Amino acid sequence: MLRVQATRPRELSRRPRRKALRIRPLSPAAAAPPPRRPPAAGAPRPRSRHVAAAPGRRRRLVLRAPPAPLRVPAGAGGGLGPEDAQGNGGARGRRGRAGPCRAGAQLSVPRQGTRDHPPAQVALRDRLVGTVVACFKRHGAAAIDTPVLELRETLMGKYGDNSKLIYELQDQGGELLALRYDLTVPFARYLAMNKITNIKRYHIAKVYRRDNPATTRGRYREFYQCDFDIAGQFDPMLPDAECVKIVHEILSDLQLGDFLIKVNDRRILNGVLAVCGIPESKFITTCSTIDKLDKVPWEYVKNEMVGEKGLSPEATDRIGEYVQLHGGLDLIEQLLQDPKLSQNKLAKEGLGDMKLLFEYLTLFGITGKISFDLSLARGLDYYTGVIYEAVLLQQQNDHVEDPVSVGSVAGGGRYDGLVGMFDPKGRKVPCVGVSIGIERIFSILEQRVEASEEKIRTTETQVLVASAQKKLLEERLKLISELWDAGIKAEILYKKNPKLLNQLQYCEDTGIPLVAIVGEQELKDGVVKLRVVATREEVNIRRENLIEEIRMRTSQL
C-alpha cells in the first residue's frame, strides 16, 4: 500500500515544540487573597492607571467577576456564528458593539411578575378593555396619558406602607426617578401642573409594583390599570354615586358572576379610631392593618395592632366592636345614634354623606349590591372621604348561605387633598375616582376561555381574496387593492399559485367569514364568487356590487 505522509513547510517545522502548560488547583489557603496591608504614613495612595479621577473627586475601581456560562438543555439553541468563532460573539462583541445572543442561550422575560401576551390573549384583553372604555365614554369621560416615569419625590409618601413597593431608578442625569405605582398620583400631579380644576377623565396604562406576584390571581409586577376620575367642586355625593354606578355597570356587562360593592368613609373610620382612644399619629398605620380583615380573621388583625402597631388590648377590642359591622341604611341610622360616634365631628360628617350616598344609589336601583362595611379601609394615604371596593363572590357550598369573597376587582374613593400637595400655593381640587382591576378580571376570563375551549379570533379580517386556478396573482392583487381602498379588511396568501383548499383551510383556522374567489370563468363573466365559510354557501356577485355585499354580510355576523 502506498502511504502519503503530509509534510509541513520547512520554516514551520524548525519551530521548537512548546511544552503543555499544566494548571494545578490551588489549595484553599493559597487561593485566598493575601491580607491587605495599610500604606505607610505619608505614602501616596496608589491609583489605578485605568481610571482617571476628576479633580476633587475620588473614583473607585470595581472589579467584577466574569458571568458564569449559561447552561441550557441540549438542542435549545443553534450553532456558532462567524463572530462567535472569532471570539467576538456572545452577549456583546467588540467594545461598543452589540453582538448576537450566546449560542444556546435561553431567552426569557423577567420571571417575577411579568409575561408575554400572544395574539389570543391580547385579543381577549382588548375585548375586556373595550367594554370598560365604552362605559367610561357613556358617562362622558375623556382620555389622557402621563409618562411612565415620575420624579421619585412625586410618588413617595403617598401610599402608606406600600411605598416600599415603588420601583426606584438610579440617578438619571441628575434626577431621581421611579416607575409609576398607580395612575392616581400622576393624575393629581397633572392637574396641579396644568392648573386644571374641572375634568372627567379615564386613563388606561401600565403601572409597576415591586410586590410578591401571584399570577394565578392576576397579580403581577407589571400590569394595566384602568382609571376613571371626576375632578372639580360639585354638590356632595353626586360624583361619588356615579363612580359606584360605573363599577356596577362594568361588572354587570362583563357577566363575571355575583359581586358586592363595599363602601365606607375614611372620616367614619378616623372617628371610630378617635373615640377608641387611638392617637391621630397612628390612624394611617392602623387603617392599613384594618384593611386586612377581608383576608385574615380578626384575631390576626388584633395581634398585629397590639404587637406591631403598639395599641393597647382594650383599645383594640373597642375598635373590633365597630369594624366588624356591615349593613345598609339601617346600620347608618344606628351609628348616627351611637353616643360616642355622634359626638365626633368627622364621624358625623361621614355618616351624613354615607346616608346621602345610599339615597342616590337607591334611585339608581343598585343598593342590592351595596354593603356599608366598616372594615373597609383602603390602605392608601391620600383617601379623605368615601371609599369603595368591589369583590366577586362565590357560594362556599350548598349548606352556607353567606357568600365568600374571591378577590377585589375594583376600588377607589375620594381624595380631596392630593392635588394640593403638588400645587405651589396648596390649592386643592376635590377628586373622586375608581380603578378597575383589569388584570384580575382578565385572569378570570382567561380561565373561562380555557375551560370552554372557546377559540378567540386574533384578527378582524372580513374576507380572503382567493384564486381557483394558477397564474391569477395579478387579478388577486387588483381585487384586494379595491377592497382595501374601500375600507374592507382583507387578506391574501403570500404565494403566486396557492391551492384553493389551502386558502379555504386558512379561513377555517383564522375565523375569516368570507372568501372572494376569482377564476378564469368569473373574470370572463365579470363576477366574483363569494363563499360563506361557515355554511359553504357560494354565490356569484357582480364586481361592482361586491363591496356592498361584503359589508352587508359581515354586518349580520
Side-chain angles (χ1 to χ4, degrees):
M1 175 182 290
L2 179 64
R3 294 184 179 181
V4 179
Q5 183 177 3
T7 60
R8 291 184 296 174
R10 180 173 298 178
E11 61 271 19
L12 294 181
S13 62
R14 292 177 180 177
R15 290 182 179 178
R17 299 183 64 181
R18 297 181 178 179
K19 296 183 179 181
L21 178 63
R22 296 182 180 180
I23 302 177
R24 298 180 180 178
L26 296 176
S27 63
R36 298 180 61 182
R37 296 181 179 179
R45 184 175 181 177
R47 287 167 52 187
S48 170
R49 61 185 178 88
H50 299 290
V51 180
R57 296 186 61 184
R58 293 182 178 179
R59 297 291 299 270
R60 183 174 59 183
L61 178 63
V62 180
L63 301 180
R64 303 180 185 273
L70 295 172
R71 299 182 182 273
V72 296
L80 292 174
E83 288 191 335
D84 299 287
Q86 298 172 12
N88 298 323
R92 184 169 295 274
R94 290 182 290 270
R95 179 174 299 180
R97 177 178 177 181
C101 291
R102 188 189 303 271
Q106 184 175 0
L107 299 178
S108 70
V109 298
R111 292 174 295 175
Q112 295 294 324
T114 64
R115 63 170 176 168
D116 292 322
H117 290 84
Q121 291 182 353
V122 173
L124 181 62
R125 188 181 62 206
D126 288 347
R127 183 194 303 178
L128 167 60
V129 172
T131 300
V132 175
V133 170
C135 180
F136 291 165
K137 291 183 176 180
R138 190 162 61 239
H139 287 260
I144 71 165
D145 194 15
T146 59
V148 69
L149 298 175
E150 293 281 351
L151 292 175
R152 180 183 178 275
E153 62 185 18
T154 299
L155 304 182
M156 287 301 176
K158 313 297 190 306
Y159 305 106
D161 293 342
N162 291 333
S163 292
K164 62 180 179 291
L165 304 181
I166 294 175
Y167 272 107
E168 301 180 40
L169 305 180
Q170 294 181 352
D171 187 350
Q172 303 293 321
E175 291 184 327
L176 296 179
L177 305 179
L179 299 180
R180 60 187 173 200
Y181 178 89
D182 68 358
L183 301 179
T184 305
V185 171
F187 174 56
R189 189 264 311 152
Y190 167 82
L191 294 180
M193 193 172 71
N194 294 281
K195 297 180 174 58
I196 298 172
T197 59
N198 192 319
I199 189 175
K200 183 188 291 186
R201 82 87 165 92
Y202 73 89
H203 188 187
I204 301 174
K206 285 184 176 181
V207 298
Y208 301 85
R209 297 182 184 179
R210 200 173 58 194
D211 200 355
N212 292 323
T215 56
T216 57
R217 298 180 57 196
R219 179 186 297 169
Y220 295 90
R221 290 183 169 180
E222 177 194 57
F223 58 95
Y224 278 95
Q225 270 197 343
C226 194
D227 283 18
F228 173 95
D229 291 84
I230 302 173
Q233 189 71 48
F234 304 105
D235 289 342
M237 294 299 104
L238 284 172
D240 309 68
E242 184 173 4
C243 287
V244 178
K245 180 68 166 62
I246 285 173
V247 175
H248 186 279
E249 288 181 13
I250 290 174
L251 296 183
S252 299
D253 292 344
L254 293 175
Q255 299 179 357
L256 298 174
D258 198 12
F259 62 89
L260 183 69
I261 303 175
K262 303 177 182 180
V263 296
N264 197 6
D265 194 298
R266 269 294 182 87
R267 293 168 295 178
I268 300 174
L269 201 53
N270 289 345
V272 167
L273 297 180
V275 300
C276 292
I278 307 302
E280 187 175 352
S281 60
K282 294 187 177 181
F283 279 7
I284 293 177
T285 57
T286 305
C287 285
S288 298
T289 303
I290 294 174
D291 199 42
K292 300 177 182 179
L293 264 177
D294 63 332
K295 305 177 184 67
V296 296
W298 165 248
E299 289 301 321
Y300 179 91
V301 172
K302 178 181 176 180
N303 292 337
E304 181 174 318
M305 286 183 179
V306 175
E308 298 182 18
K309 309 299 182 182
L311 305 185
S312 67
E314 295 78 15
T316 304
D317 290 335
R318 289 194 294 269
I319 294 174
E321 294 175 2
Y322 287 104
V323 298
Q324 297 183 77
L325 298 175
H326 56 87
L329 270 172
D330 54 345
L331 178 58
I332 298 174
E333 295 290 353
Q334 174 187 332
L335 294 177
L336 283 170
Q337 303 302 320
D338 186 279
K340 294 181 180 179
L341 279 182
S342 60
Q343 301 301 316
N344 183 276
K345 181 181 178 181
L346 276 180
K348 193 172 182 179
E349 289 178 359
L351 288 169
D353 282 349
M354 185 62 62
K355 182 178 180 180
L356 184 59
L357 176 65
F358 264 82
E359 291 175 0
Y360 291 150
L361 298 180
T362 301
L363 295 175
F364 288 153
I366 63 173
T367 50
K369 297 289 188 181
I370 310 297
S371 172
F372 174 37
D373 192 329
L374 271 77
S375 69
L376 180 63
R378 303 288 297 168
L380 302 179
D381 288 3
Y382 51 68
Y383 287 125
T384 59
V386 170
I387 51 178
Y388 33 82
E389 183 174 278
V391 295
L392 297 183
L393 305 175
Q394 69 177 6
Q395 293 293 337
Q396 199 166 14
N397 54 56
D398 296 336
H399 305 288
V400 178
E401 296 182 358
D402 292 335
V404 296
S405 167
V406 295
S408 170
V409 292
R414 176 162 288 279
Y415 49 101
D416 289 347
L418 186 57
V419 178
M421 295 182 181
F422 302 109
D423 190 275
K425 297 183 180 180
R427 289 170 293 194
K428 295 183 179 181
V429 178
C431 298
V432 64
V434 62
S435 180
I436 306 299
I438 286 292
E439 295 292 348
R440 185 161 294 182
I441 296 175
F442 175 75
S443 296
I444 296 171
L445 296 179
E446 191 177 15
Q447 292 171 6
R448 289 186 178 181
V449 168
E450 291 178 358
S452 64
E453 298 182 354
E454 176 187 356
K455 189 173 182 180
I456 302 294
R457 278 203 68 186
T458 59
T459 69
E460 298 180 0
T461 305
Q462 297 169 285
V463 60
L464 177 78
V465 177
S467 58
Q469 291 93 23
K470 296 182 178 180
K471 300 181 179 180
L472 291 176
L473 175 61
E474 293 183 1
E475 297 301 330
R476 283 193 293 145
L477 294 178
K478 290 179 183 178
L479 179 55
I480 198 170
S481 181
E482 293 176 13
L483 297 180
W484 284 337
D485 292 342
I488 301 295
K489 300 168 184 175
E491 289 186 56
I492 60 170
L493 295 192
Y494 301 127
K495 288 190 175 182
K496 290 184 177 180
N497 300 305
K499 295 181 180 179
L500 181 59
L501 183 60
N502 292 343
Q503 297 172 87
L504 298 179
Q505 186 61 47
Y506 179 77
C507 294
E508 293 276 0
D509 296 339
T510 58
I512 299 176
L514 300 174
V515 186
I517 303 174
V518 293
E520 295 176 355
Q521 187 61 44
E522 285 79 10
L523 292 174
K524 292 178 182 178
D525 297 340
V527 299
V528 174
K529 183 174 293 183
L530 192 63
R531 178 186 175 101
V532 180
V533 177
T535 63
R536 301 185 180 181
E537 170 194 1
E538 293 183 348
V539 58
N540 288 331
I541 306 295
R542 297 293 303 176
R543 183 80 170 242
E544 58 270 18
N545 300 331
L546 179 63
I547 293 173
E548 289 302 320
E549 185 71 19
I550 292 174
R551 288 174 177 166
M552 185 269 294
R553 288 181 178 269
T554 53
S555 65
Q556 298 174 353
L557 298 175

